[in-house]
Amino acid sequence: MRYRSVMVAACGMLMLGACAKKAPPAPLPPPPPPGAVAGSAAADRDGDGIVDGYYTSDGIYHPYAPPAPPPPPPAPTRRGERG
């Protein structure tokens, strides 16, 4: 009697163990883009130690651009000064 119940339990474990799905190991994250600062989205592309842009989550680089210069002064009129 004892032998039979041990065999039934062992067969049950084998049958259920065969159905278990093992998850595949997680893939390694992609390497950071060139010039990326580790642990952040900042980027130092020229390697001078100053952050000069950032990477978005889709891997596109966006440089920090200086502000646009003010527009040039208007051209002098063709009429000239009257005096």
Side-chain angles (χ1 to χ4, degrees), residues 1-17:
M1 174 81 173
R2 187 172 189 148
Y3 177 73
R4 181 177 285 178
S5 57
V6 170
M7 288 300 292
V8 168
C11 287
M13 286 192 294
L14 284 174
M15 293 172 109
L16 291 175

Side-chain angles (χ1 to χ4, degrees), residues 3-80:
Y3 177 73
R4 181 177 285 178
S5 57
V6 170
M7 288 300 292
V8 168
C11 287
M13 286 192 294
L14 284 174
M15 293 172 109
L16 291 175
C19 296
K21 293 182 181 178
K22 296 181 180 177
L28 294 174
V37 177
S40 71
D44 177 22
R45 291 193 116 183
D46 53 5
D48 62 354
I50 299 172
V51 174
D52 52 8
Y54 63 96
Y55 285 100
T56 54
S57 61
D58 54 357
I60 298 175
Y61 174 73
H62 298 278
Y64 291 138
T77 61
R78 295 189 59 107
R79 293 197 286 174

